[in-house]
Amino acid sequence: MKSRFMAAVCAAVVALSLGVHAQGKGGAASITPAELKDWLSYIASDQLQGRQVYTEGLGLAASYIAEHLKEWNVKPAGDDGTYFQVVKVNGVNVTRNSSVTVTVNGQTKTFKDGEGVTFPANAGGKQTVSGQAEFVGYGLSLPEAGIDDYKGRDVSGKVVLYVGRGPKSMPAGGNRLLGARARNAIELSHAVAAIGPSIGGGFGRGAGAGTPAATATPPATATPTPTAAQPAAGRGAAGGGRGGANATLGDFTTVQRLDNKIPPQITAGDEFFDFIFSAAGQKYADIKAKADSQDAIPAVALNNVSITITVDADYTIVQTRLTRNVVGIVEGTDPKLKDTYVLFGAHYDHIGYQQTPPGQGRGGFGGGNAPGGCTGQQRDTPKAGDVINNGADDDGSGTVGVMAIAKAFATGPKPKRSVMFVWHAGEEAGLLGSRYMADYPEVPLDKVSAQLNIDMIGRNRCDEASEANTVYLVGSDRISTELHNLNEDANTSLAAPMKLDYEFNDPADPESIYTRSDHYSYASKGIPIIFYTTGLHRDYHYVTDEVGKIEFSKLAHIAQLVYTTGVKVANLDHFPARDNKGPRKGKGASGKIGS
Ligand SMILES: [Zn+2]
């Protein structure tokens, strides 16, 4: 491993001095399986120790990417003329003064944070949010499962209230669907706030250091969207580091601005719901009994019930840790359009190495049943003594994919708009790098036309041969129908089009893939995104996610698709229109969306 590393560095230095690689023709044809394999063989080597955030291995990966950007004459777009944007990860203590005031037929009652209602630790900046209350039963919209509590309702501008854990007919993956209720009410149905029950201790992140009493730690289900802990199995250092040498201080960890106004997602107890329903002439006890037995909940009209939410929290930063995004730009050719951008992204971090012997410590690292719904498959048996989570697919594949796209632009034809490449740090620890970039962008966000994110594009889902030409697209139609159609056109234009699968774009997707990688940080700011992935497999977040299992031809093919879509967007004379129609393409769907 060591000699390979030295060879790579020497090669880079030689190439730099001779400028040889800058002479290529660039474009999609310059994206080759051989080069992707060459780069990934270093990025996913044991040398880099699993590229966990805050580690030496991640630093080596950052330098390796930056050396290549320099070689291709990609312009540095980080801090102070470098390729690096420092990401500040803050541990924050909170002083809670928030409250919820309910007015029913002129009768008013105020519930303070911690007394009947619980705000997330990071409730965002101070604001007042008001709206009519709307009760939506279990608060679920899963038409495929025959469940739709939103049918015939318009909750836009209202405060949504829901109860319970769903009906008996809840599909698999129910807990994640329940956890997404508040977010979906706000994002998909345009409610101004959501109030639901705390659905059990199993969802909490535990009483963290300095957390006063259980009420102070909201269930993950109630965490506001932009700061929600990443629900992936392998949550890394930022959430899981408590108690170790890197112990996280503060009530919560965030990379985001603390004055961001976040639509309130609040949990409430029986006392709160009792007041709401009884004052409206309803018996909450009856509704609760039905919810507890998972029976159908009758529609209840909360006439003349209005809710005012006062978000008032003060924050004190008690710890700051540093990591880095890697950032470069290739400038566009059009004098008017070159100050606008198409963003390409992947995360270059992974989950590190196994610090305790097999069978101890973090549960996600054990063998046994494979994750990701690969039914009947088992984890591969690791080589003796293998403790490194190489992350060849997750997201070494995206890391080298974006490198290839950057090289294709830098050494090939330039589009009208500029293109920016971001290798995000700390995705595995909660989308740290992308959330930071979205709050402290290196180019103005209103100049960003779209963001194309790649996470895990080097495998076949569950290793099925029938998946060999399939790539999954998530989010392409949610913010901009036009962007979705541009990607479909780009695929059709390829010499060999791929099979584009929208299964994970379904709002009822139990894995909630849409919220689980870096594109979500940009989508949360209203920027149209497409997320490209080849899906999960039995080596996901395991020491066996290694270079030898990567399908490099497929990886190159997908990188060419992303490049081609990027070229189309970057040459468009307008931004892809943001019609915000939400997810329409789901399981079994294909093709463009008509106007
Ligand atoms: Zn990933």
Side-chain angles (χ1 to χ4, degrees), residues 13 69 110 130 159 161 185 333 419 496 521 529 550:
V13 169
L69 298 182
T110 295
S130 298
V159 176
L161 296 143
T333 54
V419 285
S521 303
I529 62 91
I550 297 297

Side-chain angles (χ1 to χ4, degrees), residues 347 394-395 427-428 455-456 517 540-541:
H347 71 89
D394 187 9
D395 184 22
E427 188 269 0
E428 301 285 6
D455 194 352
M456 299 175 69
S517 186
Y540 173 70
H541 282 198

Side-chain angles (χ1 to χ4, degrees), residues 12 30 56 64 116 183 210 215 222 267 361 375 382 390 436 451 459 493 569 591:
S30 75
E56 294 157 350
Y64 183 80
R183 184 177 66 228
T215 52
T267 58
T375 313
N390 303 84
Y436 189 85
Q451 199 265 351
R459 297 284 293 267
S493 78
V569 179

Side-chain angles (χ1 to χ4, degrees), residues 349-374:
D349 69 304
H350 192 54
I351 58 172
Y353 54 93
Q354 211 168 318
Q355 297 182 22
T356 51
Q360 301 176 31
R362 301 159 74 175
F365 289 74
N369 288 328
C374 299

Side-chain angles (χ1 to χ4, degrees), residues 31-46 48-52 57-58 61-62 64-65 68 72 345-352 388-405 422-428 453-459 517-518 531-535 537 539-542 544-552 554-556 558-559:
I31 300 172
T32 65
E35 207 156 42
L36 291 163
K37 186 174 185 180
D38 183 35
W39 300 332
L40 190 61
S41 297
Y42 176 66
I43 291 288
S45 66
D46 283 0
L48 270 57
Q49 298 178 335
R51 308 188 304 279
Q52 188 165 19
L58 189 71
Y64 183 80
I65 298 164
H68 283 80
W72 303 324
H347 71 89
Y348 76 105
D349 69 304
H350 192 54
I351 58 172
I388 310 288
N389 294 289
N390 303 84
D393 192 27
D394 187 9
D395 184 22
S397 61
T399 298
V400 299
V402 175
M403 285 174 69
I405 293 166
V422 185
W423 289 265
H424 299 105
E427 188 269 0
E428 301 285 6
N453 182 47
I454 304 174
D455 194 352
M456 299 175 69
I457 55 163
R459 297 284 293 267
S517 186
D518 292 312
F531 173 37
Y532 301 81
T533 184
T534 46
H537 47 72
D539 302 304
Y540 173 70
H541 282 198
Y542 200 48
T544 53
D545 179 4
E546 291 173 321
V547 175
K549 294 182 174 175
I550 297 297
E551 308 281 350
F552 284 101
K554 182 177 187 180
L555 204 172
I558 297 171

Side-chain angles (χ1 to χ4, degrees), residues 308-372:
T308 297
I309 298 165
T310 304
V311 178
D312 180 3
D314 292 304
Y315 304 108
T316 309
I317 294 172
V318 294
Q319 180 187 50
T320 300
R321 284 185 289 176
L322 306 178
T323 182
R324 301 186 298 182
N325 290 328
V326 184
V327 200
I329 284 175
V330 172
E331 283 189 346
T333 54
D334 187 293
K336 283 191 186 135
L337 299 179
K338 66 186 287 189
D339 75 333
T340 64
Y341 303 86
V342 177
L343 266 53
F344 298 82
H347 71 89
Y348 76 105
D349 69 304
H350 192 54
I351 58 172
Y353 54 93
Q354 211 168 318
Q355 297 182 22
T356 51
Q360 301 176 31
R362 301 159 74 175
F365 289 74
N369 288 328

Side-chain angles (χ1 to χ4, degrees), residues 76-86 442:
D79 305 335
D80 306 321
T82 71
Y83 289 108
F84 306 112
Q85 177 190 42
V86 172
E442 294 288 0

